[in-house]
Amino acid sequence: MIPTSFDYARATSLDDAIAKLGAGGGAKILAGGHSLIPLMKLRLSEPTALIDIARIPDLSGIKEKDGTIQIGAATTHHAVATSALLADKCPALAETAATIGDPQVRNRGTIGGSLAHADPAADYPAILLALDAEIHLKGKGGWRAVKASDFFQGLFTVDLQPDEIIVGVQVTPQKTVAYAKLHQRASHFAIVGVGAALEVSGGTITAARVGLTGASSYAIRLANVEAALAGKPLTDATIDAAAAIAGDGLDDINADLHGSAEYRAQMIKVFTKRALEAAKARA
């Protein structure tokens, strides 16, 4: 398919991009293009203009600041996957990025583009939910920081206003975190993906966060699993009991050619257990 005609403009700064985005209806932001261009070719998205933000200074890169790790929205998946800083301070995020798509996708696709698109089978949402990440946005009204748990709201729907741009992602360094997924063989999208983070003190789980992607229309936290872990000893028995209830009561379970709802329901339990076991091994 061939996209409908559109105008193209390259933004020179973040404020320039926001001004161009708000100048007329129907404009879309272009970074890596791996989410937007396929939609345009299928004519599921027909923007009147594309605003290229890929070369805006300081919109890409990974740095540590004030005890947090900040990742620019235009940072590629490959840069996240190969970051020495993330490998040392927050390895699960780098490992998650390494499982995305193939080398071509990882070298062009960006973390901000993936989050804005919010594909229900994307990998980042689950691990960012587990990391309790913040998504930093800027629009005509100024800056906003949105928790990952509030950002993902529905099928391809996020807390992002039409005049706002994702500027970056902020996470706190954490090591007792892991991501496990059952992936489609062709695309490597998650049929079921689970991100798990454990906070442990004296052999007891003081808090847990478990994010789920691929299994429902948008990424969510498994609150019942988190409650089953909190305050319990960090043992195999605790993990087994918590994983056994993963997905219970979840009505919104996907069914497609990659797996039925019943299959996914069982895989939620399997991959929750794998993610928790991997996080436990890091404790």
Side-chain angles (χ1 to χ4, degrees), residues 62 71 75-83 86 90-103 105-107 109-111 114 122-125 127-128 131 179 181 188:
I62 304 168
I71 306 170
T75 305
T76 65
H77 310 318
H78 173 74
V80 176
T82 58
S83 165
L86 287 174
C90 200
L93 183 51
E95 292 163 359
T96 299
T99 72
I100 295 173
D102 52 33
V105 169
R106 292 194 292 275
N107 277 283
T110 64
I111 187 170
S114 177
D123 295 293
Y124 282 129
I127 196 65
L128 293 183
L131 290 168
Y179 180 63
K181 76 168 176 175
H188 277 226

PDB file of all heavy atoms in Angstrom, residues 62 71 75-83 86 90-103 105-107 109-111 114 122-125 127-128 131 179 181 188:
ATOM      1  N   ILE A  62      21.192   8.186  27.117  1.00  0.00           N
ATOM      2  CA  ILE A  62      20.894   7.593  28.417  1.00  0.00           C
ATOM      3  C   ILE A  62      21.900   8.148  29.419  1.00  0.00           C
ATOM      4  O   ILE A  62      23.106   8.085  29.188  1.00  0.00           O
ATOM      5  CB  ILE A  62      21.003   6.054  28.366  1.00  0.00           C
ATOM      6  CG1 ILE A  62      20.080   5.494  27.271  1.00  0.00           C
ATOM      7  CG2 ILE A  62      20.670   5.431  29.715  1.00  0.00           C
ATOM      8  CD1 ILE A  62      20.330   4.035  26.943  1.00  0.00           C
ATOM      9  N   ILE A  71      16.206   8.383  30.040  1.00  0.00           N
ATOM     10  CA  ILE A  71      16.357   7.882  28.671  1.00  0.00           C
ATOM     11  C   ILE A  71      15.570   8.785  27.743  1.00  0.00           C
ATOM     12  O   ILE A  71      14.352   8.938  27.891  1.00  0.00           O
ATOM     13  CB  ILE A  71      15.845   6.435  28.554  1.00  0.00           C
ATOM     14  CG1 ILE A  71      16.525   5.545  29.599  1.00  0.00           C
ATOM     15  CG2 ILE A  71      16.074   5.895  27.149  1.00  0.00           C
ATOM     16  CD1 ILE A  71      15.895   4.170  29.714  1.00  0.00           C
ATOM     17  N   THR A  75      15.821   7.682  21.782  1.00  0.00           N
ATOM     18  CA  THR A  75      16.847   6.652  21.957  1.00  0.00           C
ATOM     19  C   THR A  75      16.368   5.350  21.322  1.00  0.00           C
ATOM     20  O   THR A  75      15.250   4.898  21.562  1.00  0.00           O
ATOM     21  CB  THR A  75      17.133   6.424  23.447  1.00  0.00           C
ATOM     22  OG1 THR A  75      17.488   7.672  24.050  1.00  0.00           O
ATOM     23  CG2 THR A  75      18.265   5.429  23.646  1.00  0.00           C
ATOM     24  N   THR A  76      17.209   4.744  20.510  1.00  0.00           N
ATOM     25  CA  THR A  76      16.815   3.509  19.824  1.00  0.00           C
ATOM     26  C   THR A  76      16.823   2.313  20.780  1.00  0.00           C
ATOM     27  O   THR A  76      17.475   2.332  21.824  1.00  0.00           O
ATOM     28  CB  THR A  76      17.755   3.204  18.655  1.00  0.00           C
ATOM     29  OG1 THR A  76      19.067   2.937  19.166  1.00  0.00           O
ATOM     30  CG2 THR A  76      17.793   4.345  17.650  1.00  0.00           C
ATOM     31  N   HIS A  77      16.092   1.289  20.383  1.00  0.00           N
ATOM     32  CA  HIS A  77      16.079   0.058  21.173  1.00  0.00           C
ATOM     33  C   HIS A  77      17.488  -0.515  21.292  1.00  0.00           C
ATOM     34  O   HIS A  77      17.872  -1.045  22.344  1.00  0.00           O
ATOM     35  CB  HIS A  77      15.168  -0.995  20.520  1.00  0.00           C
ATOM     36  CG  HIS A  77      13.799  -0.490  20.167  1.00  0.00           C
ATOM     37  ND1 HIS A  77      13.078   0.317  21.003  1.00  0.00           N
ATOM     38  CD2 HIS A  77      13.034  -0.689  19.063  1.00  0.00           C
ATOM     39  CE1 HIS A  77      11.906   0.590  20.437  1.00  0.00           C
ATOM     40  NE2 HIS A  77      11.870   0.004  19.273  1.00  0.00           N
ATOM     41  N   HIS A  78      18.270  -0.411  20.220  1.00  0.00           N
ATOM     42  CA  HIS A  78      19.641  -0.937  20.253  1.00  0.00           C
ATOM     43  C   HIS A  78      20.474  -0.205  21.309  1.00  0.00           C
ATOM     44  O   HIS A  78      21.245  -0.828  22.053  1.00  0.00           O
ATOM     45  CB  HIS A  78      20.293  -0.774  18.882  1.00  0.00           C
ATOM     46  CG  HIS A  78      21.754  -1.132  18.861  1.00  0.00           C
ATOM     47  ND1 HIS A  78      22.204  -2.439  18.906  1.00  0.00           N
ATOM     48  CD2 HIS A  78      22.871  -0.345  18.833  1.00  0.00           C
ATOM     49  CE1 HIS A  78      23.522  -2.450  18.900  1.00  0.00           C
ATOM     50  NE2 HIS A  78      23.949  -1.195  18.856  1.00  0.00           N
ATOM     51  N   ALA A  79      20.301   1.119  21.386  1.00  0.00           N
ATOM     52  CA  ALA A  79      21.059   1.891  22.373  1.00  0.00           C
ATOM     53  C   ALA A  79      20.654   1.504  23.791  1.00  0.00           C
ATOM     54  O   ALA A  79      21.505   1.447  24.687  1.00  0.00           O
ATOM     55  CB  ALA A  79      20.838   3.388  22.146  1.00  0.00           C
ATOM     56  N   VAL A  80      19.371   1.238  24.007  1.00  0.00           N
ATOM     57  CA  VAL A  80      18.915   0.784  25.325  1.00  0.00           C
ATOM     58  C   VAL A  80      19.505  -0.596  25.621  1.00  0.00           C
ATOM     59  O   VAL A  80      19.996  -0.863  26.720  1.00  0.00           O
ATOM     60  CB  VAL A  80      17.376   0.742  25.392  1.00  0.00           C
ATOM     61  CG1 VAL A  80      16.905   0.167  26.731  1.00  0.00           C
ATOM     62  CG2 VAL A  80      16.797   2.145  25.194  1.00  0.00           C
ATOM     63  N   ALA A  81      19.464  -1.474  24.630  1.00  0.00           N
ATOM     64  CA  ALA A  81      19.915  -2.855  24.827  1.00  0.00           C
ATOM     65  C   ALA A  81      21.411  -2.941  25.107  1.00  0.00           C
ATOM     66  O   ALA A  81      21.859  -3.845  25.832  1.00  0.00           O
ATOM     67  CB  ALA A  81      19.572  -3.696  23.598  1.00  0.00           C
ATOM     68  N   THR A  82      22.187  -2.016  24.569  1.00  0.00           N
ATOM     69  CA  THR A  82      23.647  -2.100  24.680  1.00  0.00           C
ATOM     70  C   THR A  82      24.227  -1.079  25.662  1.00  0.00           C
ATOM     71  O   THR A  82      25.448  -0.932  25.738  1.00  0.00           O
ATOM     72  CB  THR A  82      24.297  -1.899  23.305  1.00  0.00           C
ATOM     73  OG1 THR A  82      23.902  -0.631  22.764  1.00  0.00           O
ATOM     74  CG2 THR A  82      23.884  -3.011  22.339  1.00  0.00           C
ATOM     75  N   SER A  83      23.375  -0.407  26.404  1.00  0.00           N
ATOM     76  CA  SER A  83      23.848   0.618  27.335  1.00  0.00           C
ATOM     77  C   SER A  83      24.620  -0.002  28.496  1.00  0.00           C
ATOM     78  O   SER A  83      24.099  -0.839  29.241  1.00  0.00           O
ATOM     79  CB  SER A  83      22.650   1.413  27.880  1.00  0.00           C
ATOM     80  OG  SER A  83      23.011   2.171  29.005  1.00  0.00           O
ATOM     81  N   LEU A  86      22.821   0.983  31.827  1.00  0.00           N
ATOM     82  CA  LEU A  86      21.672   0.146  32.162  1.00  0.00           C
ATOM     83  C   LEU A  86      22.106  -1.266  32.553  1.00  0.00           C
ATOM     84  O   LEU A  86      21.530  -1.865  33.461  1.00  0.00           O
ATOM     85  CB  LEU A  86      20.698   0.098  30.987  1.00  0.00           C
ATOM     86  CG  LEU A  86      19.893   1.371  30.728  1.00  0.00           C
ATOM     87  CD1 LEU A  86      19.072   1.235  29.461  1.00  0.00           C
ATOM     88  CD2 LEU A  86      18.999   1.700  31.916  1.00  0.00           C
ATOM     89  N   CYS A  90      20.407  -1.146  35.846  1.00  0.00           N
ATOM     90  CA  CYS A  90      19.024  -1.597  35.629  1.00  0.00           C
ATOM     91  C   CYS A  90      19.008  -2.617  34.487  1.00  0.00           C
ATOM     92  O   CYS A  90      18.443  -2.363  33.419  1.00  0.00           O
ATOM     93  CB  CYS A  90      18.154  -0.389  35.297  1.00  0.00           C
ATOM     94  SG  CYS A  90      16.391  -0.625  35.555  1.00  0.00           S
ATOM     95  N   PRO A  91      19.641  -3.763  34.700  1.00  0.00           N
ATOM     96  CA  PRO A  91      19.872  -4.702  33.591  1.00  0.00           C
ATOM     97  C   PRO A  91      18.610  -5.225  32.922  1.00  0.00           C
ATOM     98  O   PRO A  91      18.621  -5.521  31.726  1.00  0.00           O
ATOM     99  CB  PRO A  91      20.667  -5.830  34.250  1.00  0.00           C
ATOM    100  CG  PRO A  91      20.409  -5.698  35.727  1.00  0.00           C
ATOM    101  CD  PRO A  91      20.220  -4.242  35.966  1.00  0.00           C
ATOM    102  N   ALA A  92      17.519  -5.350  33.647  1.00  0.00           N
ATOM    103  CA  ALA A  92      16.306  -5.917  33.059  1.00  0.00           C
ATOM    104  C   ALA A  92      15.782  -5.060  31.915  1.00  0.00           C
ATOM    105  O   ALA A  92      15.217  -5.594  30.940  1.00  0.00           O
ATOM    106  CB  ALA A  92      15.226  -6.086  34.121  1.00  0.00           C
ATOM    107  N   LEU A  93      15.959  -3.751  32.001  1.00  0.00           N
ATOM    108  CA  LEU A  93      15.477  -2.881  30.927  1.00  0.00           C
ATOM    109  C   LEU A  93      16.297  -3.088  29.664  1.00  0.00           C
ATOM    110  O   LEU A  93      15.751  -3.155  28.555  1.00  0.00           O
ATOM    111  CB  LEU A  93      15.516  -1.417  31.384  1.00  0.00           C
ATOM    112  CG  LEU A  93      14.976  -0.377  30.408  1.00  0.00           C
ATOM    113  CD1 LEU A  93      13.586  -0.745  29.905  1.00  0.00           C
ATOM    114  CD2 LEU A  93      14.964   1.005  31.062  1.00  0.00           C
ATOM    115  N   ALA A  94      17.612  -3.191  29.814  1.00  0.00           N
ATOM    116  CA  ALA A  94      18.464  -3.459  28.656  1.00  0.00           C
ATOM    117  C   ALA A  94      18.138  -4.822  28.052  1.00  0.00           C
ATOM    118  O   ALA A  94      18.070  -4.974  26.821  1.00  0.00           O
ATOM    119  CB  ALA A  94      19.932  -3.395  29.059  1.00  0.00           C
ATOM    120  N   GLU A  95      17.915  -5.814  28.895  1.00  0.00           N
ATOM    121  CA  GLU A  95      17.596  -7.161  28.409  1.00  0.00           C
ATOM    122  C   GLU A  95      16.262  -7.176  27.672  1.00  0.00           C
ATOM    123  O   GLU A  95      16.106  -7.882  26.669  1.00  0.00           O
ATOM    124  CB  GLU A  95      17.573  -8.133  29.582  1.00  0.00           C
ATOM    125  CG  GLU A  95      18.948  -8.358  30.196  1.00  0.00           C
ATOM    126  CD  GLU A  95      18.880  -8.983  31.583  1.00  0.00           C
ATOM    127  OE1 GLU A  95      17.761  -9.239  32.084  1.00  0.00           O
ATOM    128  OE2 GLU A  95      19.952  -9.192  32.178  1.00  0.00           O
ATOM    129  N   THR A  96      15.306  -6.400  28.154  1.00  0.00           N
ATOM    130  CA  THR A  96      14.010  -6.322  27.485  1.00  0.00           C
ATOM    131  C   THR A  96      14.164  -5.735  26.090  1.00  0.00           C
ATOM    132  O   THR A  96      13.614  -6.257  25.108  1.00  0.00           O
ATOM    133  CB  THR A  96      13.030  -5.460  28.301  1.00  0.00           C
ATOM    134  OG1 THR A  96      12.840  -6.057  29.581  1.00  0.00           O
ATOM    135  CG2 THR A  96      11.688  -5.341  27.603  1.00  0.00           C
ATOM    136  N   ALA A  97      14.920  -4.638  25.979  1.00  0.00           N
ATOM    137  CA  ALA A  97      15.124  -4.006  24.675  1.00  0.00           C
ATOM    138  C   ALA A  97      15.784  -4.954  23.689  1.00  0.00           C
ATOM    139  O   ALA A  97      15.495  -4.918  22.485  1.00  0.00           O
ATOM    140  CB  ALA A  97      15.955  -2.743  24.834  1.00  0.00           C
ATOM    141  N   ALA A  98      16.646  -5.822  24.188  1.00  0.00           N
ATOM    142  CA  ALA A  98      17.355  -6.766  23.316  1.00  0.00           C
ATOM    143  C   ALA A  98      16.427  -7.813  22.721  1.00  0.00           C
ATOM    144  O   ALA A  98      16.789  -8.465  21.737  1.00  0.00           O
ATOM    145  CB  ALA A  98      18.481  -7.449  24.089  1.00  0.00           C
ATOM    146  N   THR A  99      15.231  -7.981  23.289  1.00  0.00           N
ATOM    147  CA  THR A  99      14.293  -8.986  22.764  1.00  0.00           C
ATOM    148  C   THR A  99      13.326  -8.398  21.744  1.00  0.00           C
ATOM    149  O   THR A  99      12.506  -9.130  21.181  1.00  0.00           O
ATOM    150  CB  THR A  99      13.459  -9.605  23.902  1.00  0.00           C
ATOM    151  OG1 THR A  99      12.502  -8.651  24.400  1.00  0.00           O
ATOM    152  CG2 THR A  99      14.334 -10.083  25.048  1.00  0.00           C
ATOM    153  N   ILE A 100      13.397  -7.095  21.505  1.00  0.00           N
ATOM    154  CA  ILE A 100      12.449  -6.443  20.599  1.00  0.00           C
ATOM    155  C   ILE A 100      12.810  -6.739  19.150  1.00  0.00           C
ATOM    156  O   ILE A 100      13.943  -6.512  18.712  1.00  0.00           O
ATOM    157  CB  ILE A 100      12.437  -4.917  20.826  1.00  0.00           C
ATOM    158  CG1 ILE A 100      11.905  -4.596  22.221  1.00  0.00           C
ATOM    159  CG2 ILE A 100      11.597  -4.219  19.768  1.00  0.00           C
ATOM    160  CD1 ILE A 100      12.001  -3.135  22.596  1.00  0.00           C
ATOM    161  N   GLY A 101      11.853  -7.249  18.391  1.00  0.00           N
ATOM    162  CA  GLY A 101      11.978  -7.401  16.950  1.00  0.00           C
ATOM    163  C   GLY A 101      13.260  -8.054  16.484  1.00  0.00           C
ATOM    164  O   GLY A 101      13.687  -9.098  16.992  1.00  0.00           O
ATOM    165  N   ASP A 102      13.901  -7.412  15.495  1.00  0.00           N
ATOM    166  CA  ASP A 102      15.150  -7.896  14.914  1.00  0.00           C
ATOM    167  C   ASP A 102      16.133  -6.726  14.857  1.00  0.00           C
ATOM    168  O   ASP A 102      15.806  -5.611  15.263  1.00  0.00           O
ATOM    169  CB  ASP A 102      14.883  -8.478  13.520  1.00  0.00           C
ATOM    170  CG  ASP A 102      14.118  -7.513  12.617  1.00  0.00           C
ATOM    171  OD1 ASP A 102      14.317  -6.285  12.742  1.00  0.00           O
ATOM    172  OD2 ASP A 102      13.309  -7.977  11.792  1.00  0.00           O
ATOM    173  N   PRO A 103      17.366  -6.960  14.391  1.00  0.00           N
ATOM    174  CA  PRO A 103      18.346  -5.868  14.395  1.00  0.00           C
ATOM    175  C   PRO A 103      17.893  -4.609  13.652  1.00  0.00           C
ATOM    176  O   PRO A 103      18.193  -3.492  14.073  1.00  0.00           O
ATOM    177  CB  PRO A 103      19.573  -6.499  13.725  1.00  0.00           C
ATOM    178  CG  PRO A 103      19.465  -7.950  14.075  1.00  0.00           C
ATOM    179  CD  PRO A 103      17.995  -8.255  14.020  1.00  0.00           C
ATOM    180  N   VAL A 105      14.817  -3.455  13.319  1.00  0.00           N
ATOM    181  CA  VAL A 105      13.857  -2.754  14.167  1.00  0.00           C
ATOM    182  C   VAL A 105      14.573  -2.089  15.332  1.00  0.00           C
ATOM    183  O   VAL A 105      14.315  -0.921  15.671  1.00  0.00           O
ATOM    184  CB  VAL A 105      12.777  -3.725  14.675  1.00  0.00           C
ATOM    185  CG1 VAL A 105      11.927  -3.076  15.761  1.00  0.00           C
ATOM    186  CG2 VAL A 105      11.895  -4.193  13.527  1.00  0.00           C
ATOM    187  N   ARG A 106      15.488  -2.813  15.969  1.00  0.00           N
ATOM    188  CA  ARG A 106      16.178  -2.257  17.140  1.00  0.00           C
ATOM    189  C   ARG A 106      17.062  -1.073  16.783  1.00  0.00           C
ATOM    190  O   ARG A 106      17.270  -0.181  17.610  1.00  0.00           O
ATOM    191  CB  ARG A 106      16.994  -3.349  17.840  1.00  0.00           C
ATOM    192  CG  ARG A 106      16.124  -4.418  18.497  1.00  0.00           C
ATOM    193  CD  ARG A 106      16.928  -5.276  19.438  1.00  0.00           C
ATOM    194  NE  ARG A 106      17.897  -6.110  18.765  1.00  0.00           N
ATOM    195  CZ  ARG A 106      17.639  -7.308  18.248  1.00  0.00           C
ATOM    196  NH1 ARG A 106      16.421  -7.819  18.315  1.00  0.00           N
ATOM    197  NH2 ARG A 106      18.595  -8.012  17.670  1.00  0.00           N
ATOM    198  N   ASN A 107      17.581  -1.036  15.578  1.00  0.00           N
ATOM    199  CA  ASN A 107      18.454   0.065  15.188  1.00  0.00           C
ATOM    200  C   ASN A 107      17.703   1.304  14.725  1.00  0.00           C
ATOM    201  O   ASN A 107      18.296   2.385  14.650  1.00  0.00           O
ATOM    202  CB  ASN A 107      19.424  -0.388  14.092  1.00  0.00           C
ATOM    203  CG  ASN A 107      20.643  -1.092  14.656  1.00  0.00           C
ATOM    204  OD1 ASN A 107      21.546  -0.447  15.169  1.00  0.00           O
ATOM    205  ND2 ASN A 107      20.654  -2.414  14.590  1.00  0.00           N
ATOM    206  N   GLY A 109      13.871   1.730  15.536  1.00  0.00           N
ATOM    207  CA  GLY A 109      12.764   2.013  16.442  1.00  0.00           C
ATOM    208  C   GLY A 109      13.238   2.699  17.709  1.00  0.00           C
ATOM    209  O   GLY A 109      14.369   2.493  18.166  1.00  0.00           O
ATOM    210  N   THR A 110      12.373   3.524  18.294  1.00  0.00           N
ATOM    211  CA  THR A 110      12.736   4.297  19.482  1.00  0.00           C
ATOM    212  C   THR A 110      11.816   3.967  20.650  1.00  0.00           C
ATOM    213  O   THR A 110      10.666   3.551  20.467  1.00  0.00           O
ATOM    214  CB  THR A 110      12.640   5.803  19.200  1.00  0.00           C
ATOM    215  OG1 THR A 110      11.275   6.151  18.909  1.00  0.00           O
ATOM    216  CG2 THR A 110      13.524   6.193  18.026  1.00  0.00           C
ATOM    217  N   ILE A 111      12.313   4.198  21.854  1.00  0.00           N
ATOM    218  CA  ILE A 111      11.524   3.910  23.050  1.00  0.00           C
ATOM    219  C   ILE A 111      10.300   4.829  23.126  1.00  0.00           C
ATOM    220  O   ILE A 111       9.207   4.390  23.478  1.00  0.00           O
ATOM    221  CB  ILE A 111      12.387   4.008  24.324  1.00  0.00           C
ATOM    222  CG1 ILE A 111      11.588   3.534  25.552  1.00  0.00           C
ATOM    223  CG2 ILE A 111      12.957   5.398  24.522  1.00  0.00           C
ATOM    224  CD1 ILE A 111      12.435   3.361  26.798  1.00  0.00           C
ATOM    225  N   SER A 114       7.620   3.650  20.588  1.00  0.00           N
ATOM    226  CA  SER A 114       6.955   2.433  21.056  1.00  0.00           C
ATOM    227  C   SER A 114       5.917   2.748  22.122  1.00  0.00           C
ATOM    228  O   SER A 114       4.803   2.227  22.101  1.00  0.00           O
ATOM    229  CB  SER A 114       7.989   1.448  21.601  1.00  0.00           C
ATOM    230  OG  SER A 114       7.361   0.305  22.127  1.00  0.00           O
ATOM    231  N   ALA A 122       3.558  -4.956  22.820  1.00  0.00           N
ATOM    232  CA  ALA A 122       4.889  -4.356  22.953  1.00  0.00           C
ATOM    233  C   ALA A 122       5.547  -4.784  24.261  1.00  0.00           C
ATOM    234  O   ALA A 122       4.866  -5.111  25.236  1.00  0.00           O
ATOM    235  CB  ALA A 122       4.783  -2.836  22.885  1.00  0.00           C
ATOM    236  N   ASP A 123       6.869  -4.756  24.285  1.00  0.00           N
ATOM    237  CA  ASP A 123       7.622  -5.241  25.442  1.00  0.00           C
ATOM    238  C   ASP A 123       7.836  -4.196  26.524  1.00  0.00           C
ATOM    239  O   ASP A 123       7.746  -4.493  27.715  1.00  0.00           O
ATOM    240  CB  ASP A 123       8.995  -5.767  24.988  1.00  0.00           C
ATOM    241  CG  ASP A 123       8.873  -6.982  24.094  1.00  0.00           C
ATOM    242  OD1 ASP A 123       8.439  -8.030  24.589  1.00  0.00           O
ATOM    243  OD2 ASP A 123       9.208  -6.876  22.903  1.00  0.00           O
ATOM    244  N   TYR A 124       8.164  -2.959  26.133  1.00  0.00           N
ATOM    245  CA  TYR A 124       8.488  -1.938  27.124  1.00  0.00           C
ATOM    246  C   TYR A 124       7.424  -1.742  28.206  1.00  0.00           C
ATOM    247  O   TYR A 124       7.769  -1.555  29.380  1.00  0.00           O
ATOM    248  CB  TYR A 124       8.750  -0.592  26.449  1.00  0.00           C
ATOM    249  CG  TYR A 124      10.099  -0.442  25.795  1.00  0.00           C
ATOM    250  CD1 TYR A 124      10.201   0.004  24.485  1.00  0.00           C
ATOM    251  CD2 TYR A 124      11.282  -0.719  26.490  1.00  0.00           C
ATOM    252  CE1 TYR A 124      11.437   0.172  23.866  1.00  0.00           C
ATOM    253  CE2 TYR A 124      12.514  -0.561  25.882  1.00  0.00           C
ATOM    254  CZ  TYR A 124      12.588  -0.120  24.566  1.00  0.00           C
ATOM    255  OH  TYR A 124      13.815   0.034  23.971  1.00  0.00           O
ATOM    256  N   PRO A 125       6.128  -1.725  27.862  1.00  0.00           N
ATOM    257  CA  PRO A 125       5.137  -1.427  28.906  1.00  0.00           C
ATOM    258  C   PRO A 125       5.243  -2.316  30.135  1.00  0.00           C
ATOM    259  O   PRO A 125       5.153  -1.824  31.268  1.00  0.00           O
ATOM    260  CB  PRO A 125       3.801  -1.608  28.175  1.00  0.00           C
ATOM    261  CG  PRO A 125       4.113  -1.226  26.760  1.00  0.00           C
ATOM    262  CD  PRO A 125       5.485  -1.785  26.524  1.00  0.00           C
ATOM    263  N   ILE A 127       7.819  -4.010  31.437  1.00  0.00           N
ATOM    264  CA  ILE A 127       8.995  -3.786  32.271  1.00  0.00           C
ATOM    265  C   ILE A 127       8.962  -2.399  32.902  1.00  0.00           C
ATOM    266  O   ILE A 127       9.392  -2.207  34.047  1.00  0.00           O
ATOM    267  CB  ILE A 127      10.303  -4.001  31.463  1.00  0.00           C
ATOM    268  CG1 ILE A 127      11.501  -4.151  32.400  1.00  0.00           C
ATOM    269  CG2 ILE A 127      10.531  -2.897  30.460  1.00  0.00           C
ATOM    270  CD1 ILE A 127      11.453  -5.390  33.270  1.00  0.00           C
ATOM    271  N   LEU A 128       8.394  -1.410  32.208  1.00  0.00           N
ATOM    272  CA  LEU A 128       8.283  -0.076  32.798  1.00  0.00           C
ATOM    273  C   LEU A 128       7.252  -0.044  33.913  1.00  0.00           C
ATOM    274  O   LEU A 128       7.410   0.700  34.890  1.00  0.00           O
ATOM    275  CB  LEU A 128       7.939   0.953  31.716  1.00  0.00           C
ATOM    276  CG  LEU A 128       9.042   1.202  30.678  1.00  0.00           C
ATOM    277  CD1 LEU A 128       8.616   2.294  29.704  1.00  0.00           C
ATOM    278  CD2 LEU A 128      10.374   1.562  31.330  1.00  0.00           C
ATOM    279  N   LEU A 131       9.125  -1.431  36.814  1.00  0.00           N
ATOM    280  CA  LEU A 131      10.122  -0.480  37.315  1.00  0.00           C
ATOM    281  C   LEU A 131       9.487   0.776  37.907  1.00  0.00           C
ATOM    282  O   LEU A 131      10.193   1.631  38.437  1.00  0.00           O
ATOM    283  CB  LEU A 131      11.064  -0.071  36.174  1.00  0.00           C
ATOM    284  CG  LEU A 131      12.027  -1.159  35.684  1.00  0.00           C
ATOM    285  CD1 LEU A 131      12.687  -0.729  34.385  1.00  0.00           C
ATOM    286  CD2 LEU A 131      13.069  -1.475  36.740  1.00  0.00           C
ATOM    287  N   TYR A 179      12.378  -9.735  33.106  1.00  0.00           N
ATOM    288  CA  TYR A 179      11.316  -9.784  32.098  1.00  0.00           C
ATOM    289  C   TYR A 179      11.357 -11.143  31.420  1.00  0.00           C
ATOM    290  O   TYR A 179      12.428 -11.627  31.047  1.00  0.00           O
ATOM    291  CB  TYR A 179      11.509  -8.676  31.064  1.00  0.00           C
ATOM    292  CG  TYR A 179      10.465  -8.641  29.968  1.00  0.00           C
ATOM    293  CD1 TYR A 179       9.131  -8.392  30.265  1.00  0.00           C
ATOM    294  CD2 TYR A 179      10.813  -8.855  28.639  1.00  0.00           C
ATOM    295  CE1 TYR A 179       8.169  -8.344  29.261  1.00  0.00           C
ATOM    296  CE2 TYR A 179       9.874  -8.806  27.621  1.00  0.00           C
ATOM    297  CZ  TYR A 179       8.543  -8.553  27.942  1.00  0.00           C
ATOM    298  OH  TYR A 179       7.590  -8.506  26.953  1.00  0.00           O
ATOM    299  N   LYS A 181       9.146 -13.516  28.418  1.00  0.00           N
ATOM    300  CA  LYS A 181       8.043 -13.459  27.455  1.00  0.00           C
ATOM    301  C   LYS A 181       8.007 -14.681  26.554  1.00  0.00           C
ATOM    302  O   LYS A 181       9.032 -15.315  26.264  1.00  0.00           O
ATOM    303  CB  LYS A 181       8.130 -12.200  26.600  1.00  0.00           C
ATOM    304  CG  LYS A 181       9.192 -12.197  25.501  1.00  0.00           C
ATOM    305  CD  LYS A 181       8.960 -11.017  24.552  1.00  0.00           C
ATOM    306  CE  LYS A 181      10.053 -10.928  23.501  1.00  0.00           C
ATOM    307  NZ  LYS A 181       9.781  -9.855  22.513  1.00  0.00           N
ATOM    308  N   HIS A 188       8.542 -11.371  16.969  1.00  0.00           N
ATOM    309  CA  HIS A 188       9.073 -11.284  18.337  1.00  0.00           C
ATOM    310  C   HIS A 188       8.222 -10.397  19.246  1.00  0.00           C
ATOM    311  O   HIS A 188       8.649 -10.074  20.354  1.00  0.00           O
ATOM    312  CB  HIS A 188      10.536 -10.830  18.355  1.00  0.00           C
ATOM    313  CG  HIS A 188      11.484 -11.969  18.117  1.00  0.00           C
ATOM    314  ND1 HIS A 188      12.610 -12.180  18.866  1.00  0.00           N
ATOM    315  CD2 HIS A 188      11.468 -12.974  17.213  1.00  0.00           C
ATOM    316  CE1 HIS A 188      13.253 -13.256  18.432  1.00  0.00           C
ATOM    317  NE2 HIS A 188      12.570 -13.750  17.429  1.00  0.00           N
TER     318      HIS A 188
END
